[in-house]
Amino acid sequence: MSRWEKLKRNPRAAWAAFILIAVLLAVLPFLADTLLSRSWVRIIDFVLLYIILALGLNIVVGFAGLLDLGYVAFFAVGAYLYALLASPHFGIHLPFWALLPLGAGVTCIFGVLLGAPTLRLRGDYLAIVTLGFGEIIRIFLNNLNAPINITNGPQGVNKIDPVSFGGFSLNQSHQLFDINFPSVHNYYYLFLALTILVIFISMRLQDSRIGRAWVAVREDEVAAKAMGINTRNIKLLAFAMGASFGGVGGGLFAGFQGFISPESFTLIESIMILCMVVLGGMGNIAGVVLGVVLLVVLPEALRYIGPFEQALFGRVIVDPADLRMLIFGLALILVMLFRPAGLLPSTIRKREFEAEDEVEAQNGARA
Amino acid sequence: MTLLEARSVSKHFGGLLALDEVNLSLQNGEIYGLIGPNGAGKTTLFNVLTGLYSPDHGEFFFNGEKLIATKPHMIAERGIARTFQNIRLFGNMSALENVMVGRHVRTRAGVIGAVLRDARTREEEDGIRSRAFALLQYVGIAEYANNLSSHLSYGDQRRLEIARALATEPKLLALDEPAAGMNATETAGLKKLLEIIRGDGVTILLIEHDVKLVMGLCDRVAVLDYGKKIAEGSPQQVQRDPAVIEAYLGGV
C-alpha cells in the first residue's frame, strides 16, 4: 500500500496534510521574500508558469504519446495574442478576463491546425515535423513587421498591459490588513490559482474515458482503432488541449513580463519544457510538477556556487555560469540513468506493486 | 439469417494477390473457421474486414447492410470486434483498464463531462468499470484486474484480448489465431470459453492453425489458399476435400 492510499484511509491525516500544504502555499512568497530574496518570488512565479506549460505538453507527450518538439509555438501564439490585444502597439487594450479565454480558444485552433497534418506521423517523424512548425511560428513572428507591421519583428512588443481586474492592477503594490503585497506576490496568487485549475483539469482528464483513449493510442494505435476509438479526433483533441494550456501560459507570460520578443520562443524553450515532462515522469502529473520545480529552481540555485567557492577557497575558481550548465546537464544524465521512467513514474506501475503487496498480505494472513 | 457476407473481395499488395474474389457468408450464431496454409490471406481478410486495409474490389454486407464505413473505428461501432495474431494489448495499462478502453465506443463522455464529472458522467464511468470487471470474470482472469496487461501469462493475455473485444458489444467476434502458443490445457479452456460466448449469441469468425480445435469447435469451415477460397463446408467435409489435402500436403 502506498503512502497516498494510507492517507486516503485516514481522513484526519489527509486533512492535516492538505491544510499544511495550503498554508505553506499561501505564505510561500512571503517566506521566500524574507528568507531568500525578492527575485526568488519571481522564480517561484516562473515555476508556476512552467507547470501550466509542462502539464499542457504532458497531455500531448505523456498521455497521448505524441512527441511534440514545437510546443513553444503555442506558448508564443498565446503570448503574442495577449501582447497585440493589450498594448499600445495597436492601441487595443482588451481586459484580462476576455484575453484569457480568447488565448485558450485561439491556441486551441492552432493546436488543431498544426496537429492535423501530423496525424499520420509517429515517433521521430512527428518530432521533426512539429519541430519545424515551432520554428515556422517563431520565424513568422520575427518577420511579420513588413510590409505591414503586425508583430514588430525582432524588437518585440513592449509596454504590454499588466494583468488587471477592473482597476486592480497586479503590477502595483496593494495593502491588505496592513500587509504589503508587491507585484510579484500578486502574480504568484494568480498563477497559483490557474496552476491549481490546470492540475485539476489534468487529473480529471487522465482518469476519464478520454484519458484512457489517449493512453490507448499511445500504447497501440492499431488496437485502439480496432476498439472503436476515432484516433484522428482523439489525437487532435490532445493537441488542442495541450495547445490551450500553452496559450494560457503565454498570455500570463506576456502580462507578467510586459515585454515579449521572438527570442523567448526558441527551440531550446521547447526542449526545456519537454525535459521537465520527461525528467519528472511522463504521464504523471505529480512527476511533471516535480520536474518543473527542479529544472527551474536548480539552475537558479546553482548560482550560489560562486559565493560558496569564494568562502571555501577564497576566490572563484570556476565561473558559476559555466559550472551551472555542467552540473545541470550531469544531473539530467544521472536521473535518466538511474530513474529512466522519470523521478516519479506514472501511477500505473505503483498500482501494480500495490496489487502484488495485497496478494502477498492475503497469502500471509491465510498462512 | 446471414450476419456477414463477403462478395468477391480482392486485395493485392504490389504484384501479390493476397485475396482473390473471396466469397463468404456467416450465419447468425455460428462459429465459422477460416483455415489455410501460411500466407493464404487469412489475416489479410481480417484486416480488410475490420477496415485496416481497404479492399481493391468487392464488398461486405453486415447485418443486412452494406459496410460502407471503411474506418476501423466505424467497423467496431457497427458491431465487429477483433483480436490480433500477435497480441496487441495496451501493455502499460492494467487488465481492467484494457477492457475499459473497449467500452469507449459504447459510451459518450467528453472533455467537459470528464472535467466537471457530473452525475451522468459518474454513472457512465461506474458502468464502464463494473462492466469491464464483469467481463474479466467472464473470461476468468478477474484476479489479475489490477496487474499490468504485459505482465499476464500468454494464455491470459489472449483471454484479456477477447474480454476487451467483447467490451465493444460485438455481434461478430473475429479471432486471429487465439490458440497460438497455448498448451493443450489452455486450448481446452479456450474452446470452452468460445462455446460460452457463442451460447450468449455472439457469432465467431475464427482463424486457427490448431486443426483439432477447428474441427471440434466450428460449425462450418472455409479454406483459403493463395488468396482463393478452395473449399467450404462442415469440418468433416472439408477434411476429405482433395483440393484441401493438396493445398496442405502439396501437389503430387
Side-chain angles (χ1 to χ4, degrees):
Chain A
M1 212 189 300
S2 76
R3 212 171 298 157
W4 179 244
E5 288 283 312
K6 276 180 193 153
L7 263 186
K8 261 196 208 159
R9 285 176 203 188
N10 185 350
R12 199 182 288 171
W15 273 107
F18 177 75
I19 290 170
L20 191 75
I21 292 171
V23 169
L24 191 71
L25 284 176
V27 300
L28 186 63
F30 293 96
L31 275 181
D33 200 2
T34 27
L35 297 180
L36 297 158
S37 68
R38 178 78 31 109
S39 66
W40 272 96
V41 184
R42 204 180 161 74
I43 292 163
I44 293 169
D45 287 358
F46 270 105
V47 168
L48 294 174
L49 187 66
Y50 276 105
I51 289 175
I52 296 175
L53 294 176
L55 284 177
L57 185 63
N58 184 48
I59 289 181
V60 184
V61 181
F63 293 173
L66 305 162
L67 184 51
D68 183 352
L69 287 184
Y71 185 67
V72 77
F74 306 122
F75 184 39
V77 169
Y80 265 87
L81 191 79
Y82 185 102
L84 297 180
L85 296 179
S87 73
H89 182 65
F90 286 140
I92 305 172
H93 298 277
L94 290 186
F96 177 71
W97 59 261
L99 282 169
L100 196 68
L102 188 68
V106 170
T107 43
C108 210
I109 295 168
F110 266 84
V112 173
L113 285 179
L114 296 192
T118 67
L119 285 173
R120 287 164 173 277
L121 306 174
R122 276 176 224 186
D124 8 14
Y125 301 100
L126 177 66
I128 291 167
V129 172
T130 52
L131 186 152
F133 279 145
E135 283 298 282
I136 287 170
I137 296 277
R138 188 181 62 81
I139 290 164
F140 256 106
L141 295 173
N142 223 348
N143 293 295
L144 276 182
N145 55 348
I148 311 162
N149 186 4
I150 299 173
T151 63
N152 211 23
Q155 281 99 27
V157 183
N158 212 340
K159 290 188 189 136
I160 301 167
D161 297 352
V163 178
S164 66
F165 300 91
F168 186 89
S169 169
L170 296 193
N171 244 25
Q172 291 149 13
S173 296
H174 293 278
Q175 294 286 339
L176 188 70
F177 308 121
D178 282 343
I179 307 169
N180 181 42
F181 287 82
S183 167
V184 274
H185 289 47
N186 298 333
Y187 276 103
Y188 169 81
Y189 292 110
L190 172 70
F191 287 6
L192 183 65
L194 287 168
T195 302
I196 290 170
L197 181 69
V198 162
I199 290 176
F200 176 78
I201 293 175
S202 285
M203 286 171 76
R204 281 276 165 103
L205 280 176
Q206 183 174 31
D207 185 20
S208 75
R209 174 175 174 266
I210 301 292
R212 280 192 301 274
W214 280 333
V215 177
V217 167
R218 180 187 78 200
E219 294 290 314
D220 190 326
E221 200 173 330
V222 172
K225 275 184 194 165
M227 288 304 110
I229 293 172
N230 184 338
T231 52
R232 184 197 65 199
N233 288 2
I234 213 78
K235 281 159 118 183
L236 283 181
L237 184 64
F239 276 120
M241 288 299 300
S244 67
F245 284 18
V248 167
L252 296 175
F253 176 73
F256 182 48
Q257 292 284 70
F259 164 75
I260 55 164
S261 74
E263 255 173 69
S264 308
F265 310 106
T266 51
L267 175 63
I268 194 74
E269 198 71 11
S270 280
I271 305 278
M272 280 305 286
I273 301 170
L274 187 66
C275 278
M276 293 166 184
V277 174
V278 175
L279 181 87
M282 235 192 286
N284 183 22
I285 294 163
V288 172
V289 171
L290 181 68
V292 174
V293 172
L294 284 181
L295 286 202
V296 178
V297 169
L298 196 65
E300 297 300 329
L302 288 174
R303 285 181 202 276
Y304 289 100
I305 285 182
F308 180 75
E309 282 180 45
Q310 186 82 44
L312 201 64
F313 307 110
R315 65 192 172 95
V316 177
I317 299 170
V318 189
D319 182 13
D322 297 338
L323 205 57
R324 211 159 68 102
M325 286 328 277
L326 190 71
I327 293 179
F328 182 64
L330 195 68
L332 272 183
I333 292 169
L334 287 177
V335 168
M336 286 296 108
L337 267 180
F338 293 105
R339 306 218 42 151
L343 290 167
L344 292 176
S346 96
T347 45
I348 182 97
R349 284 185 188 284
K350 270 187 250 155
R351 220 181 306 154
E352 201 198 17
F353 289 131
E354 276 160 37
E356 279 169 8
D357 284 351
E358 264 165 40
V359 169
E360 260 169 43
Q362 280 170 5
N363 290 345
R366 238 177 269 144
Chain B
M1 203 195 110
T2 310
L3 180 67
L4 177 76
E5 204 185 337
R7 285 193 197 155
S8 51
V9 172
S10 298
K11 175 78 192 173
H12 66 85
F13 300 106
L16 178 78
L17 199 56
L19 291 174
D20 187 5
E21 303 276 323
V22 175
N23 291 293
L24 294 175
S25 90
L26 269 72
Q27 300 304 307
N28 235 329
E30 74 175 337
I31 300 184
Y32 190 95
L34 194 57
I35 62 173
N38 282 329
K42 306 181 296 286
T43 299
T44 304
L45 184 72
F46 260 45
N47 288 341
V48 173
L49 170 66
T50 54
L52 285 179
Y53 305 153
S54 51
D56 297 328
H57 180 245
E59 53 207 5
F60 290 99
F61 287 82
F62 185 67
N63 223 4
E65 286 170 53
K66 194 173 162 187
L67 275 185
I68 306 167
T70 47
K71 292 267 166 31
H73 69 267
M74 294 174 178
I75 302 284
E77 205 179 330
R78 293 288 287 273
I80 302 178
R82 69 170 293 178
T83 65
F84 294 87
Q85 189 176 345
N86 43 346
I87 303 174
R88 303 189 81 138
L89 287 165
F90 308 122
N92 278 316
M93 294 175 108
S94 70
L96 185 68
E97 283 172 320
N98 265 275
V99 185
M100 287 170 83
V101 170
R103 296 296 302 153
H104 184 91
V105 70
R106 301 291 169 222
T107 45
R108 298 251 58 85
V111 170
I112 304 205
V115 172
L116 299 180
R117 209 170 275 182
D118 52 315
R120 238 189 69 210
T121 311
R122 277 202 307 271
E123 202 177 299
E124 186 181 279
E125 193 70 12
D126 288 345
I128 293 173
R129 191 171 289 273
S130 56
R131 183 72 182 265
F133 194 77
L135 279 166
L136 287 179
Q137 285 175 321
Y138 184 80
V139 302
I141 53 171
E143 57 188 304
Y144 307 121
N146 288 325
N147 287 42
L148 281 189
S149 64
S150 58
H151 289 191
L152 297 187
S153 76
Y154 200 72
D156 288 342
Q157 289 193 8
R158 291 261 180 223
R159 280 171 180 266
L160 178 55
E161 247 201 334
I162 292 173
R164 188 180 66 178
L166 286 175
T168 66
E169 297 175 25
K171 292 188 187 74
L172 175 68
L173 181 63
L175 304 171
D176 198 345
E177 295 198 28
M182 282 188 173
N183 62 32
T185 326
E186 286 172 326
T187 307
L190 177 75
K191 183 166 177 256
K192 222 173 275 170
L193 175 64
L194 295 186
E195 274 164 353
I196 293 172
I197 293 171
R198 187 251 295 267
D200 289 337
V202 179
T203 310
I204 296 176
L205 173 59
L206 179 74
I207 293 181
E208 190 48 68
H209 273 305
D210 188 324
V211 176
K212 226 175 88 191
L213 180 68
V214 171
M215 295 305 163
L217 191 63
C218 295
D219 302 305
R220 287 193 304 141
V221 176
V223 187
L224 284 186
D225 189 30
Y226 292 110
K228 271 190 165 62
K229 187 173 83 177
I230 56 168
E232 186 180 24
S234 75
Q236 290 73 26
Q237 285 172 335
V238 165
Q239 245 172 334
R240 285 193 302 265
D241 195 304
V244 176
I245 295 168
E246 192 185 305
Y248 270 93
L249 299 180
V252 188

